[in-house]
Amino acid sequence: MPDSNPWLATRPITDADEQITSAERLLLERARLGLRLILVGIVVVLIGWIVVSRGEQPRITIVQGFNFVAVAVALWVLNDPARGTFNRVAGGAAYAVTIVCTAAVGILAGDATTPIAILIGMAVIAGTMLPWSPWLQLLVVLLTSAACVWTVVSVVPSPPLGWFRSAGAIAPTLVSTIYVSDVLGRQRAAVAHAEHDRRAREAGLREANRRLEQEIQEHHRTEETLRFAMRELDHRVKHTFAVVQSVAEQTLRSAANMDEFGEAFSDRIRSMASIHNALAQRRWDGLALTDLVDLVVGPYRHHHGSISIGGDGIFVAAELVRVLGMTLHELATNSAKYGALSTAQGQVTITSQVDGAARLQISWSERGGPTVSEPTRRGFGMRLIEEALAYEADGRVALWFSGDGLCCDIEIPVSA
């Protein structure tokens, strides 16, 4: 039996991934309900016949018993709405057996009126209750009509074609059940279509609501990120201003004249700016030590051999880059004015390593430059070298002046 309904103008629309449709579930539920009603009817008729006939006509009892067993078996196997074709075949077979058995009982009892009334009622109920194709209802009507004709011919003596007149009286009722089945099928299809549209609209609204909630949450996250960025920017700007102010004041105090102040201050501001730009380009994640040294010390290189940098792979956290960079800048400036980098023959060697206590050790040594001695007066640059790392990064700095040049050992934590 076909699963589709060619009589329907509009087929029920279901989701593509839905294996068990609502139509199949409805068909199974209605078929099981109809078979239960048939079982009840068979039991009532069988009990009434036994009481009335007192055991006469045992063939009627056999026919009713066979009908009961067939319907019970069909009711037992109809349990999976996914098996649409099987359900139609099993339910239709049980229904056909009931039609034939009803006519046979009427013939054996010599009663044509009662079976015909039962068969007409069954056809009407099937056409209005079962959500199946009008083609299937047409088969039921043809089988019912044949059973009615068989009953009339076998029970009622009539002239030739008398059975045709008898069956013709019930034909309009039976044919109307096909039309009713078609109309109800169209209504169910329209309801299913409307239900699908409603669910589609609800799904669309839920999806739009979900996206709106996501956008709102994303907007909140963006706002929080912006607020955090503004707070961080405000903190960095204030800190930078404080550092610039301190550098300006200390440079001014240690400068002999305004020309010396302008040169030293501009040099330090340029170094701070280059460090800031490098950190900004790396989203404030920090810098490799070799990049930092090359950034602040590299500009003082006379040739490739002037400055030797060791310690590849060591990374300096962003919170340490500025103060370490300023310290290295002061060492480079001092060397360019008075030490190894003041001559083309001088060399500066910078090595680094991380010890077992997660502290970065940097060694600065000069050679090949003019003879240096410990100064009698420490300017701002020398104080910055000796005190800044200790104050801001829990570091230690050791300076000494050997015959070859200035030496400096720096020790700071890997991260603040």
Side-chain angles (χ1 to χ4, degrees), residues 169-230:
I170 64 173
T173 301
L174 295 178
V175 172
S176 66
T177 64
I178 303 173
Y179 174 75
V180 170
S181 177
D182 179 43
V183 171
L184 293 179
R186 292 176 182 272
Q187 291 179 350
R188 284 190 293 268
V191 170
H193 185 80
E195 179 67 14
H196 177 270
D197 288 345
R198 182 185 66 80
R199 291 181 179 179
R201 288 193 297 270
E202 289 179 352
L205 290 175
R206 286 194 297 268
E207 178 65 19
N209 185 62
R210 183 186 65 82
R211 292 182 179 178
L212 179 60
E213 290 179 352
Q214 288 182 343
E215 290 179 359
I216 293 175
Q217 293 175 359
E218 185 65 26
H219 180 68
H220 289 165
R221 286 193 293 267
T222 302
E223 286 185 343
E224 183 61 29
T225 302
L226 288 175
R227 284 193 291 268
F228 175 79
M230 292 300 296

Side-chain angles (χ1 to χ4, degrees), residues 395-407:
R396 289 192 293 271
V397 177
L399 282 173
W400 70 92
F401 297 83
S402 67
D404 292 334
L406 174 66
C407 293

Side-chain angles (χ1 to χ4, degrees), residues 260-392:
E260 182 180 343
F261 164 77
E263 181 182 357
F265 181 70
S266 299
D267 199 23
R268 285 164 181 160
I269 292 301
R270 282 196 297 270
S271 177
M272 290 176 58
S274 62
I275 294 173
H276 179 90
N277 290 336
L279 283 174
Q281 290 176 0
R282 292 163 177 79
R283 299 180 180 273
W284 298 90
D285 288 335
L287 291 174
L289 179 59
T290 52
D291 292 340
L292 177 61
V293 173
D294 190 64
L295 180 68
V296 297
V297 183
Y300 297 95
R301 180 184 282 115
H302 293 288
H303 51 82
H304 181 73
S306 296
I307 302 173
S308 174
I309 304 173
D312 291 343
I314 297 177
F315 193 81
V316 182
E319 57 268 23
L320 296 176
V321 167
R322 183 188 57 80
V323 62
L324 179 59
M326 290 300 297
T327 300
L328 294 173
H329 168 75
E330 293 300 327
L331 286 170
T333 302
N334 181 75
S335 179
K337 288 182 178 180
Y338 313 109
L341 295 181
S342 65
T343 65
Q345 294 76 25
Q347 294 181 343
V348 173
T349 301
I350 304 171
T351 60
S352 60
Q353 64 178 0
V354 177
D355 61 14
R359 293 181 69 85
L360 174 60
Q361 296 179 346
I362 302 173
S363 176
W364 173 289
S365 62
E366 301 180 16
R367 68 178 183 275
T371 302
V372 296
S373 60
E374 186 170 353
T376 58
R377 173 180 172 272
R378 273 172 159 69
F380 171 63
M382 193 63 66
R383 294 199 308 272
L384 190 149
I385 295 172
E386 294 179 318
E387 300 173 4
L389 286 172
Y391 177 77
E392 292 196 29

Side-chain angles (χ1 to χ4, degrees), residues 34-50:
L35 293 179
R36 290 193 185 98
L37 294 176
I38 291 174
L39 285 179
V40 173
I42 293 173
V43 172
V44 172
V45 172
L46 180 59
I47 293 175
W49 173 253
I50 293 175

Side-chain angles (χ1 to χ4, degrees), residues 19-36:
Q19 298 180 353
I20 303 174
T21 64
S22 58
E24 296 296 343
R25 287 193 293 270
L26 179 63
L27 175 62
L28 180 61
E29 293 172 359
R30 295 289 180 83
R32 289 178 60 85
L33 176 61
L35 293 179
R36 290 193 185 98

